[in-house]
Amino acid sequence: MAVETEEKTIDGLCQKLQSYMSPEDIAAVRRAYEFAAKAHQGQMRLSGEPYISHPLAVAYILADLRLDAAAIMAGLLHDVVEDTSVSDSAIVQAFGAEVATLVDGVTKLKRIKFDSREEQQAENLRKMFMAMARDIRVLIIKLADRLHNMRTLKYQSPETQVRKARETLEIFAPLAHRLGINTIKWELEDLSLRYLNPQQYYRIVNLMARKRQEREQYIEGVIAVLREKLAELNLKADVSGRAKHIYSIYRKMVTQHKEFNEIYDLFAIRIIVESIKDCYGALGVVHTMWKPMPGRFKDYIAMPKANMYQSLHTTVIGPNGEPLEIQIRTWEMHQTAEYGIAAHWVYKESGSKRVEDDFAKKLAWFREVLEWQQDFRDAQEFMETLKIDLFSDQVFVFTPKGDVIELPAGSVPIDFAYRIHTDIGNHCIGAKVNGKMVPLDYRLRTGDIVEIITSKHSYGPSWDWLKIVQTSQAKSKIRQWFKREKREENVARGKELIEREIARQKFEPKQLMTAQAMAEVLQKFNFAREEDLFAAVGYGGLGPSQVVTRLIEIFRRNQGEKPPETVTIQKGTAKPAEMGVRVRGVDNILIRFARCCHPVPGDEIVGFVTRGRGVSVHRRDCPNVAAMVESGARTLEVEWATDKDWSYNAEIEVTAMDRHGLVNEVLNAVAETKTDITAVSARADAKKIAHIHMSIRIRNLDHLRTVVERLKRIKDIYSVRRMIQ
């Protein structure tokens, strides 16, 4: 990719484009730049640079990927519709429908009101996937846009830096991986780590700098020997070394529980040859020179990755007895490994049917996303499922005829069945793996030969299948079957689940499920009738908690619309000063602290009049009373009573790299601050990340900050944050 420090101008961009673009196309790109510069005139970025510097930088990244003129023009214009008064029709008129479609696909849904940031993000991604179905360049432009924003993230607030970095690591870096654009993927991962865990990032950078000279000398010696041996066999090859990326080293330290000095393969050797035959010839040379490590050879030429990546990977015991990673590929494979889909765009434009078919196969995963995303009405469920699909490792299994099927790690025979055909999945009653019967929850492994047993008399999918399948495709098809075949059963099941959730929340169905409330919920989730809503809950397309949460919000809002004088504030024996809080203008009332946000002295607080339970004190930024604070209904002015020392409950979550003795260190650190712990729980996720949740008793915000700062000094701690339930 281009070096960010270089000065970017339209003349420099046009000069870069001359290597692969016609003069007419370059002139069109220059015209798009002039249009965008005029539209953004007077606008500035947080860095103090003119706003046009951002779309120009995006265009440079796209030029490095050698995208065509329409994509470069869309990169220059991608913020014009969103951030200026220019309309979509103006883009169509000035540059044509193709460029306008690309711009529209990248434009955010900024003008639509959403209930949460996550819902807005989900809808933005849904729109992007819809646009991708028409043109994959939409996503490539979006990745270039995100890359430049990450390069300039230092000008944002710390909160924005963390949020953007996490979003990039969870969504955009995996998407770049799926497209095979590793040059963007690696940089996005490194930049995300820099803001999510700066301590570890700079530690690795410094340690790599210290060992660089020593390692480079070692690698140069290996390269010289390899070149000599390959030349003896008349194998024309380019041999080079490359340093591992910071994030890949960090992930190895986390997943393998290694310290930096235990990682030897900080550098890898890359051999690029002329043909596939030469790849295997070079592999033979390498294995003759050094002993290969068992289980470390991977043939991605015979079985390419889903993102088109092809290469031979082997790890050998090198000259000094250290593990040495070597990759072998052709020049065409190298272009694909670096630029992925972008490297194939020019071939797609050739019009060859074979190339078109090959291109379509490479985008199969995105077509699946387009299918299953329509089944999720809940933004959070859509986001979580998307992240699972993006992060999953792959296994390669075979049909009885020898066809290779790629599935996410952890997939079961049902996933395989639905990947072959929907009817095979719906009529599956059993499976054989390597000739032996296996249960349907058997975890498939690379190399398995899978045979699905079907029956016309099958009763169809089971609800339990949704708990064991891994692929979004299988989950979508199972839900579709229940939606189509079991409507009456789904309606009854959905209504029962909603009423059960209402009871769990300590309400009565008749309290919440009024005609007015249900009409509002139907509109929120885009259903025409109550039966449709119940059916969606019944077949798993919508969670009952989502419906009930909305009903409770409506109920509480309607209760709050009554005049304040009709609400009786319950008096109690607990005096305000004894709770550490005073209610202005009212004496001797029952006060309690909200368990959702646990306010402590120093927080801005507000009182909320409850029915039969006095005044509930919340933090002013608590989302549960945000609507009440805005309307002023049933709220009271409260203040902290500072004449006595009281202790208050606070919830904190510590996130760290999982390792032996971590919890003890955390508890000892809290004890050093003379802080009482009332509850603690800990768990580790699949990525070896530990999550420790603690309830502690503190005096005020300063006390809380002391605890947090002490915890942050513990080795391997990623974050310490205060919780709102």
Side-chain angles (χ1 to χ4, degrees), residues 432-484:
K432 289 183 179 180
V433 173
N434 303 324
K436 296 180 180 179
M437 290 294 296
V438 296
L440 289 178
D441 61 355
Y442 169 85
R443 298 293 180 91
L444 298 175
R445 293 175 292 187
T446 294
D448 282 343
I449 301 173
V450 186
E451 180 183 353
I452 300 298
I453 302 169
T454 61
S455 170
K456 293 181 180 179
H457 305 293
S458 163
Y459 290 107
S462 162
W463 283 108
D464 292 334
W465 287 11
L466 288 171
K467 299 175 184 177
I468 60 175
V469 295
Q470 291 294 310
T471 60
S472 300
Q473 179 188 26
K475 290 179 181 178
S476 173
K477 298 299 183 183
I478 294 168
R479 289 192 178 103
Q480 285 177 13
W481 188 88
F482 280 108
K483 182 179 180 181
R484 183 179 64 252

Short mmCIF file of all heavy atoms in Angstrom, two decimals, residues 432-484:
data_model
loop_
_atom_site.label_atom_id
_atom_site.label_comp_id
_atom_site.label_asym_id
_atom_site.label_seq_id
_atom_site.Cartn_x
_atom_site.Cartn_y
_atom_site.Cartn_z
N LYS A 432 -22.87 -40.83 7.33
CA LYS A 432 -21.68 -41.67 7.42
C LYS A 432 -20.46 -40.79 7.18
O LYS A 432 -20.45 -39.97 6.26
CB LYS A 432 -21.72 -42.79 6.38
CG LYS A 432 -22.73 -43.88 6.63
CD LYS A 432 -22.62 -44.97 5.57
CE LYS A 432 -23.60 -46.10 5.83
NZ LYS A 432 -23.48 -47.16 4.79
N VAL A 433 -19.45 -40.98 7.99
CA VAL A 433 -18.18 -40.29 7.80
C VAL A 433 -17.09 -41.35 7.69
O VAL A 433 -16.95 -42.19 8.58
CB VAL A 433 -17.88 -39.32 8.97
CG1 VAL A 433 -16.47 -38.75 8.83
CG2 VAL A 433 -18.90 -38.20 9.00
N ASN A 434 -16.40 -41.32 6.57
CA ASN A 434 -15.35 -42.32 6.28
C ASN A 434 -15.90 -43.75 6.36
O ASN A 434 -15.25 -44.66 6.87
CB ASN A 434 -14.16 -42.14 7.23
CG ASN A 434 -13.58 -40.74 7.16
OD1 ASN A 434 -13.54 -40.13 6.09
ND2 ASN A 434 -13.14 -40.22 8.29
N GLY A 435 -17.17 -43.90 5.89
CA GLY A 435 -17.79 -45.22 5.83
C GLY A 435 -18.46 -45.69 7.10
O GLY A 435 -19.04 -46.76 7.13
N LYS A 436 -18.39 -44.90 8.19
CA LYS A 436 -18.98 -45.32 9.46
C LYS A 436 -20.09 -44.36 9.88
O LYS A 436 -19.98 -43.14 9.67
CB LYS A 436 -17.91 -45.36 10.56
CG LYS A 436 -16.81 -46.39 10.32
CD LYS A 436 -15.79 -46.37 11.45
CE LYS A 436 -14.69 -47.40 11.23
NZ LYS A 436 -13.68 -47.37 12.33
N MET A 437 -21.16 -44.94 10.46
CA MET A 437 -22.26 -44.10 10.94
C MET A 437 -21.77 -43.20 12.08
O MET A 437 -21.03 -43.65 12.96
CB MET A 437 -23.42 -44.97 11.44
CG MET A 437 -24.16 -45.72 10.34
SD MET A 437 -25.05 -44.61 9.22
CE MET A 437 -26.25 -43.86 10.33
N VAL A 438 -22.21 -41.95 12.05
CA VAL A 438 -21.86 -41.00 13.11
C VAL A 438 -23.11 -40.24 13.52
O VAL A 438 -24.06 -40.14 12.74
CB VAL A 438 -20.78 -39.99 12.63
CG1 VAL A 438 -19.48 -40.69 12.30
CG2 VAL A 438 -21.29 -39.17 11.45
N PRO A 439 -23.16 -39.73 14.75
CA PRO A 439 -24.30 -38.89 15.14
C PRO A 439 -24.30 -37.58 14.36
O PRO A 439 -23.26 -37.15 13.84
CB PRO A 439 -24.07 -38.65 16.64
CG PRO A 439 -22.61 -38.87 16.85
CD PRO A 439 -22.19 -39.90 15.84
N LEU A 440 -25.46 -36.93 14.29
CA LEU A 440 -25.58 -35.70 13.50
C LEU A 440 -24.83 -34.52 14.12
O LEU A 440 -24.64 -33.49 13.48
CB LEU A 440 -27.06 -35.34 13.31
CG LEU A 440 -27.83 -36.25 12.36
CD1 LEU A 440 -29.29 -35.83 12.29
CD2 LEU A 440 -27.22 -36.26 10.96
N ASP A 441 -24.41 -34.65 15.39
CA ASP A 441 -23.63 -33.56 16.00
C ASP A 441 -22.13 -33.85 15.95
O ASP A 441 -21.33 -33.18 16.61
CB ASP A 441 -24.07 -33.31 17.44
CG ASP A 441 -23.89 -34.52 18.35
OD1 ASP A 441 -23.50 -35.60 17.84
OD2 ASP A 441 -24.15 -34.40 19.56
N TYR A 442 -21.72 -34.82 15.14
CA TYR A 442 -20.29 -35.14 14.96
C TYR A 442 -19.58 -33.93 14.34
O TYR A 442 -20.05 -33.36 13.34
CB TYR A 442 -20.15 -36.37 14.06
CG TYR A 442 -18.74 -36.66 13.60
CD1 TYR A 442 -17.85 -37.40 14.37
CD2 TYR A 442 -18.29 -36.20 12.35
CE1 TYR A 442 -16.56 -37.68 13.94
CE2 TYR A 442 -17.00 -36.47 11.91
CZ TYR A 442 -16.14 -37.20 12.70
OH TYR A 442 -14.87 -37.46 12.26
N ARG A 443 -18.44 -33.52 14.91
CA ARG A 443 -17.67 -32.39 14.38
C ARG A 443 -16.78 -32.86 13.23
O ARG A 443 -15.90 -33.70 13.43
CB ARG A 443 -16.81 -31.76 15.48
CG ARG A 443 -17.61 -31.17 16.64
CD ARG A 443 -18.42 -29.97 16.18
NE ARG A 443 -19.19 -29.39 17.25
CZ ARG A 443 -18.75 -28.41 18.05
NH1 ARG A 443 -17.53 -27.94 17.89
NH2 ARG A 443 -19.53 -27.91 18.98
N LEU A 444 -17.03 -32.33 12.06
CA LEU A 444 -16.27 -32.73 10.87
C LEU A 444 -14.83 -32.23 10.94
O LEU A 444 -14.56 -31.15 11.48
CB LEU A 444 -16.94 -32.18 9.61
CG LEU A 444 -18.36 -32.68 9.34
CD1 LEU A 444 -18.96 -31.97 8.14
CD2 LEU A 444 -18.37 -34.19 9.11
N ARG A 445 -13.91 -33.04 10.37
CA ARG A 445 -12.49 -32.69 10.34
C ARG A 445 -11.99 -32.71 8.90
O ARG A 445 -12.55 -33.43 8.05
CB ARG A 445 -11.67 -33.66 11.20
CG ARG A 445 -11.98 -33.55 12.68
CD ARG A 445 -11.25 -34.60 13.49
NE ARG A 445 -11.77 -35.94 13.21
CZ ARG A 445 -11.40 -37.02 13.89
NH1 ARG A 445 -10.52 -36.92 14.86
NH2 ARG A 445 -11.90 -38.20 13.60
N THR A 446 -10.97 -31.93 8.63
CA THR A 446 -10.41 -31.88 7.28
C THR A 446 -10.02 -33.28 6.81
O THR A 446 -9.37 -34.03 7.55
CB THR A 446 -9.19 -30.96 7.25
OG1 THR A 446 -9.62 -29.62 7.51
CG2 THR A 446 -8.51 -31.00 5.89
N GLY A 447 -10.45 -33.63 5.59
CA GLY A 447 -10.15 -34.94 5.02
C GLY A 447 -11.26 -35.95 5.16
O GLY A 447 -11.21 -37.02 4.52
N ASP A 448 -12.29 -35.64 5.97
CA ASP A 448 -13.42 -36.58 6.13
C ASP A 448 -14.19 -36.73 4.81
O ASP A 448 -14.37 -35.75 4.07
CB ASP A 448 -14.39 -36.07 7.20
CG ASP A 448 -13.89 -36.32 8.61
OD1 ASP A 448 -12.98 -37.15 8.77
OD2 ASP A 448 -14.42 -35.70 9.55
N ILE A 449 -14.63 -37.96 4.54
CA ILE A 449 -15.53 -38.22 3.40
C ILE A 449 -16.93 -38.40 3.99
O ILE A 449 -17.16 -39.29 4.81
CB ILE A 449 -15.10 -39.49 2.64
CG1 ILE A 449 -13.67 -39.31 2.11
CG2 ILE A 449 -16.06 -39.77 1.50
CD1 ILE A 449 -13.10 -40.58 1.48
N VAL A 450 -17.84 -37.53 3.58
CA VAL A 450 -19.16 -37.45 4.24
C VAL A 450 -20.25 -37.92 3.27
O VAL A 450 -20.30 -37.50 2.11
CB VAL A 450 -19.46 -36.01 4.69
CG1 VAL A 450 -20.76 -35.97 5.49
CG2 VAL A 450 -18.30 -35.46 5.52
N GLU A 451 -21.09 -38.80 3.77
CA GLU A 451 -22.25 -39.28 3.01
C GLU A 451 -23.51 -39.04 3.83
O GLU A 451 -23.58 -39.46 5.00
CB GLU A 451 -22.09 -40.76 2.69
CG GLU A 451 -23.24 -41.35 1.88
CD GLU A 451 -23.08 -42.83 1.64
OE1 GLU A 451 -22.01 -43.39 1.98
OE2 GLU A 451 -24.04 -43.45 1.13
N ILE A 452 -24.49 -38.36 3.25
CA ILE A 452 -25.73 -38.04 3.95
C ILE A 452 -26.80 -39.07 3.60
O ILE A 452 -27.01 -39.41 2.43
CB ILE A 452 -26.23 -36.62 3.58
CG1 ILE A 452 -25.18 -35.58 3.97
CG2 ILE A 452 -27.56 -36.32 4.26
CD1 ILE A 452 -24.88 -35.51 5.44
N ILE A 453 -27.48 -39.58 4.63
CA ILE A 453 -28.57 -40.54 4.44
C ILE A 453 -29.89 -39.78 4.53
O ILE A 453 -30.14 -39.07 5.51
CB ILE A 453 -28.51 -41.65 5.51
CG1 ILE A 453 -27.16 -42.37 5.44
CG2 ILE A 453 -29.66 -42.63 5.34
CD1 ILE A 453 -26.92 -43.30 6.61
N THR A 454 -30.72 -39.90 3.50
CA THR A 454 -32.00 -39.16 3.46
C THR A 454 -33.17 -40.14 3.36
O THR A 454 -33.00 -41.32 3.05
CB THR A 454 -32.04 -38.21 2.26
OG1 THR A 454 -31.92 -38.97 1.04
CG2 THR A 454 -30.92 -37.18 2.33
N SER A 455 -34.34 -39.62 3.65
CA SER A 455 -35.57 -40.42 3.55
C SER A 455 -36.73 -39.51 3.13
O SER A 455 -36.87 -38.40 3.65
CB SER A 455 -35.91 -41.10 4.87
OG SER A 455 -37.20 -41.68 4.83
N LYS A 456 -37.55 -39.98 2.17
CA LYS A 456 -38.72 -39.21 1.76
C LYS A 456 -39.73 -39.09 2.89
O LYS A 456 -40.58 -38.19 2.89
CB LYS A 456 -39.38 -39.89 0.55
CG LYS A 456 -38.53 -39.85 -0.71
CD LYS A 456 -39.26 -40.53 -1.86
CE LYS A 456 -38.41 -40.50 -3.12
NZ LYS A 456 -39.10 -41.18 -4.26
N HIS A 457 -39.66 -40.02 3.85
CA HIS A 457 -40.62 -40.04 4.96
C HIS A 457 -40.10 -39.28 6.18
O HIS A 457 -40.66 -39.38 7.28
CB HIS A 457 -40.95 -41.48 5.35
CG HIS A 457 -41.44 -42.31 4.20
ND1 HIS A 457 -42.65 -42.07 3.58
CD2 HIS A 457 -40.86 -43.35 3.54
CE1 HIS A 457 -42.81 -42.95 2.60
NE2 HIS A 457 -41.74 -43.73 2.56
N SER A 458 -39.02 -38.55 6.00
CA SER A 458 -38.46 -37.76 7.11
C SER A 458 -39.47 -36.72 7.58
O SER A 458 -40.22 -36.15 6.78
CB SER A 458 -37.17 -37.06 6.65
OG SER A 458 -36.82 -36.02 7.51
N TYR A 459 -39.49 -36.48 8.90
CA TYR A 459 -40.38 -35.45 9.45
C TYR A 459 -39.82 -34.04 9.25
O TYR A 459 -40.45 -33.06 9.61
CB TYR A 459 -40.59 -35.70 10.95
CG TYR A 459 -41.43 -36.92 11.24
CD1 TYR A 459 -40.85 -38.09 11.74
CD2 TYR A 459 -42.79 -36.91 10.99
CE1 TYR A 459 -41.61 -39.21 12.00
CE2 TYR A 459 -43.57 -38.03 11.24
CZ TYR A 459 -42.98 -39.18 11.75
OH TYR A 459 -43.75 -40.29 11.99
N GLY A 460 -38.62 -33.94 8.70
CA GLY A 460 -38.03 -32.63 8.49
C GLY A 460 -37.07 -32.26 9.60
O GLY A 460 -36.78 -33.05 10.51
N PRO A 461 -36.55 -31.03 9.56
CA PRO A 461 -35.58 -30.59 10.58
C PRO A 461 -36.16 -30.61 11.99
O PRO A 461 -37.37 -30.59 12.18
CB PRO A 461 -35.26 -29.15 10.15
CG PRO A 461 -35.68 -29.06 8.72
CD PRO A 461 -36.81 -29.99 8.56
N SER A 462 -35.26 -30.65 12.96
CA SER A 462 -35.63 -30.58 14.37
C SER A 462 -35.19 -29.23 14.92
O SER A 462 -34.21 -28.63 14.46
CB SER A 462 -34.94 -31.70 15.14
OG SER A 462 -34.93 -31.45 16.53
N TRP A 463 -35.92 -28.74 15.93
CA TRP A 463 -35.53 -27.49 16.58
C TRP A 463 -34.12 -27.60 17.16
O TRP A 463 -33.37 -26.62 17.20
CB TRP A 463 -36.52 -27.13 17.69
CG TRP A 463 -37.82 -26.55 17.20
CD1 TRP A 463 -39.04 -27.15 17.20
CD2 TRP A 463 -38.01 -25.26 16.61
NE1 TRP A 463 -39.98 -26.33 16.64
CE2 TRP A 463 -39.38 -25.15 16.29
CE3 TRP A 463 -37.17 -24.19 16.33
CZ2 TRP A 463 -39.93 -24.01 15.69
CZ3 TRP A 463 -37.71 -23.04 15.74
CH2 TRP A 463 -39.07 -22.96 15.43
N ASP A 464 -33.76 -28.81 17.60
CA ASP A 464 -32.44 -29.01 18.19
C ASP A 464 -31.31 -28.77 17.19
O ASP A 464 -30.18 -28.49 17.57
CB ASP A 464 -32.31 -30.42 18.77
CG ASP A 464 -33.22 -30.63 19.98
OD1 ASP A 464 -33.53 -29.62 20.63
OD2 ASP A 464 -33.61 -31.78 20.24
N TRP A 465 -31.63 -28.91 15.89
CA TRP A 465 -30.59 -28.70 14.88
C TRP A 465 -30.02 -27.28 14.94
O TRP A 465 -28.84 -27.06 14.66
CB TRP A 465 -31.15 -28.97 13.48
CG TRP A 465 -31.38 -30.42 13.17
CD1 TRP A 465 -31.35 -31.46 14.07
CD2 TRP A 465 -31.69 -30.99 11.91
NE1 TRP A 465 -31.63 -32.64 13.43
CE2 TRP A 465 -31.85 -32.39 12.10
CE3 TRP A 465 -31.88 -30.48 10.64
CZ2 TRP A 465 -32.16 -33.24 11.05
CZ3 TRP A 465 -32.20 -31.33 9.58
CH2 TRP A 465 -32.34 -32.70 9.80
N LEU A 466 -30.87 -26.33 15.28
CA LEU A 466 -30.40 -24.93 15.34
C LEU A 466 -29.32 -24.75 16.40
O LEU A 466 -28.53 -23.80 16.32
CB LEU A 466 -31.58 -23.99 15.65
CG LEU A 466 -32.58 -23.79 14.50
CD1 LEU A 466 -33.80 -23.01 15.00
CD2 LEU A 466 -31.92 -23.06 13.33
N LYS A 467 -29.27 -25.64 17.39
CA LYS A 467 -28.27 -25.52 18.46
C LYS A 467 -26.92 -26.12 18.06
O LYS A 467 -25.91 -25.81 18.69
CB LYS A 467 -28.77 -26.23 19.73
CG LYS A 467 -30.06 -25.65 20.29
CD LYS A 467 -30.55 -26.47 21.48
CE LYS A 467 -31.88 -25.96 22.00
NZ LYS A 467 -32.39 -26.81 23.12
N ILE A 468 -26.90 -26.99 17.03
CA ILE A 468 -25.65 -27.70 16.72
C ILE A 468 -25.04 -27.28 15.38
O ILE A 468 -23.84 -27.48 15.19
CB ILE A 468 -25.84 -29.23 16.75
CG1 ILE A 468 -26.88 -29.68 15.72
CG2 ILE A 468 -26.24 -29.69 18.13
CD1 ILE A 468 -27.01 -31.20 15.61
N VAL A 469 -25.84 -26.72 14.46
CA VAL A 469 -25.25 -26.33 13.17
C VAL A 469 -24.40 -25.08 13.35
O VAL A 469 -24.63 -24.27 14.24
CB VAL A 469 -26.34 -26.09 12.09
CG1 VAL A 469 -27.07 -27.38 11.78
CG2 VAL A 469 -27.31 -25.00 12.51
N GLN A 470 -23.42 -24.92 12.48
CA GLN A 470 -22.49 -23.80 12.56
C GLN A 470 -22.71 -22.77 11.46
O GLN A 470 -22.49 -21.58 11.66
CB GLN A 470 -21.04 -24.32 12.46
CG GLN A 470 -20.60 -25.12 13.66
CD GLN A 470 -20.52 -24.28 14.91
OE1 GLN A 470 -19.91 -23.23 14.92
NE2 GLN A 470 -21.14 -24.74 15.98
N THR A 471 -23.12 -23.21 10.28
CA THR A 471 -23.22 -22.29 9.15
C THR A 471 -24.52 -21.50 9.19
O THR A 471 -25.58 -22.02 9.55
CB THR A 471 -23.15 -23.05 7.81
OG1 THR A 471 -24.24 -23.98 7.75
CG2 THR A 471 -21.84 -23.81 7.68
N SER A 472 -24.42 -20.24 8.81
CA SER A 472 -25.61 -19.40 8.72
C SER A 472 -26.56 -19.93 7.65
O SER A 472 -27.77 -19.77 7.76
CB SER A 472 -25.21 -17.97 8.40
OG SER A 472 -24.37 -17.46 9.40
N GLN A 473 -26.00 -20.53 6.61
CA GLN A 473 -26.83 -21.09 5.55
C GLN A 473 -27.76 -22.17 6.11
O GLN A 473 -28.96 -22.17 5.84
CB GLN A 473 -25.95 -21.67 4.45
CG GLN A 473 -26.73 -22.30 3.31
CD GLN A 473 -25.84 -23.03 2.34
OE1 GLN A 473 -24.76 -23.48 2.70
NE2 GLN A 473 -26.26 -23.17 1.10
N ALA A 474 -27.21 -23.08 6.91
CA ALA A 474 -28.04 -24.15 7.48
C ALA A 474 -29.10 -23.58 8.41
O ALA A 474 -30.27 -23.98 8.37
CB ALA A 474 -27.16 -25.16 8.22
N LYS A 475 -28.71 -22.64 9.28
CA LYS A 475 -29.69 -22.04 10.20
C LYS A 475 -30.81 -21.36 9.43
O LYS A 475 -31.99 -21.45 9.79
CB LYS A 475 -28.97 -21.03 11.10
CG LYS A 475 -28.04 -21.66 12.11
CD LYS A 475 -27.34 -20.61 12.96
CE LYS A 475 -26.38 -21.27 13.96
NZ LYS A 475 -25.65 -20.30 14.78
N SER A 476 -30.45 -20.66 8.36
CA SER A 476 -31.45 -19.96 7.56
C SER A 476 -32.43 -20.95 6.93
O SER A 476 -33.65 -20.74 6.97
CB SER A 476 -30.76 -19.13 6.48
OG SER A 476 -31.70 -18.56 5.60
N LYS A 477 -31.90 -22.04 6.37
CA LYS A 477 -32.76 -23.02 5.69
C LYS A 477 -33.67 -23.73 6.69
O LYS A 477 -34.84 -24.02 6.38
CB LYS A 477 -31.90 -24.04 4.94
CG LYS A 477 -31.05 -23.46 3.83
CD LYS A 477 -31.88 -22.79 2.76
CE LYS A 477 -31.00 -22.27 1.62
NZ LYS A 477 -31.81 -21.53 0.61
N ILE A 478 -33.16 -24.02 7.88
CA ILE A 478 -33.98 -24.69 8.90
C ILE A 478 -35.13 -23.77 9.32
O ILE A 478 -36.28 -24.20 9.44
CB ILE A 478 -33.12 -25.08 10.11
CG1 ILE A 478 -32.11 -26.17 9.71
CG2 ILE A 478 -33.98 -25.57 11.27
CD1 ILE A 478 -31.03 -26.42 10.73
N ARG A 479 -34.79 -22.49 9.57
CA ARG A 479 -35.84 -21.53 9.94
C ARG A 479 -36.87 -21.38 8.83
O ARG A 479 -38.07 -21.26 9.10
CB ARG A 479 -35.22 -20.18 10.28
CG ARG A 479 -34.44 -20.16 11.60
CD ARG A 479 -34.12 -18.74 11.99
NE ARG A 479 -33.42 -18.69 13.26
CZ ARG A 479 -32.12 -18.48 13.40
NH1 ARG A 479 -31.38 -18.29 12.31
NH2 ARG A 479 -31.56 -18.46 14.58
N GLN A 480 -36.42 -21.35 7.59
CA GLN A 480 -37.35 -21.23 6.46
C GLN A 480 -38.31 -22.41 6.43
O GLN A 480 -39.51 -22.25 6.14
CB GLN A 480 -36.57 -21.14 5.14
CG GLN A 480 -35.90 -19.80 4.89
CD GLN A 480 -35.10 -19.80 3.62
OE1 GLN A 480 -35.21 -20.71 2.78
NE2 GLN A 480 -34.26 -18.78 3.45
N TRP A 481 -37.80 -23.62 6.73
CA TRP A 481 -38.67 -24.79 6.73
C TRP A 481 -39.75 -24.67 7.79
O TRP A 481 -40.93 -24.93 7.52
CB TRP A 481 -37.83 -26.05 6.96
CG TRP A 481 -38.61 -27.33 6.77
CD1 TRP A 481 -38.78 -28.02 5.62
CD2 TRP A 481 -39.34 -28.04 7.79
NE1 TRP A 481 -39.57 -29.13 5.84
CE2 TRP A 481 -39.93 -29.16 7.15
CE3 TRP A 481 -39.55 -27.83 9.14
CZ2 TRP A 481 -40.71 -30.07 7.85
CZ3 TRP A 481 -40.34 -28.74 9.84
CH2 TRP A 481 -40.91 -29.84 9.20
N PHE A 482 -39.35 -24.30 9.00
CA PHE A 482 -40.34 -24.14 10.07
C PHE A 482 -41.32 -23.02 9.75
O PHE A 482 -42.52 -23.11 10.06
CB PHE A 482 -39.65 -23.87 11.40
CG PHE A 482 -39.11 -25.11 12.06
CD1 PHE A 482 -37.75 -25.36 12.12
CD2 PHE A 482 -39.98 -26.04 12.61
CE1 PHE A 482 -37.26 -26.50 12.71
CE2 PHE A 482 -39.50 -27.20 13.21
CZ PHE A 482 -38.13 -27.43 13.26
N LYS A 483 -40.82 -21.96 9.14
CA LYS A 483 -41.67 -20.83 8.78
C LYS A 483 -42.74 -21.26 7.77
O LYS A 483 -43.90 -20.86 7.86
CB LYS A 483 -40.81 -19.72 8.18
CG LYS A 483 -41.56 -18.46 7.80
CD LYS A 483 -40.58 -17.43 7.26
CE LYS A 483 -41.29 -16.14 6.86
NZ LYS A 483 -40.34 -15.14 6.32
N ARG A 484 -42.35 -22.11 6.82
CA ARG A 484 -43.26 -22.51 5.74
C ARG A 484 -44.17 -23.67 6.15
O ARG A 484 -45.36 -23.66 5.88
CB ARG A 484 -42.42 -22.90 4.52
CG ARG A 484 -43.24 -23.28 3.29
CD ARG A 484 -42.35 -23.62 2.11
NE ARG A 484 -41.53 -24.80 2.37
CZ ARG A 484 -40.22 -24.77 2.58
NH1 ARG A 484 -39.58 -23.61 2.58
NH2 ARG A 484 -39.54 -25.88 2.81
#
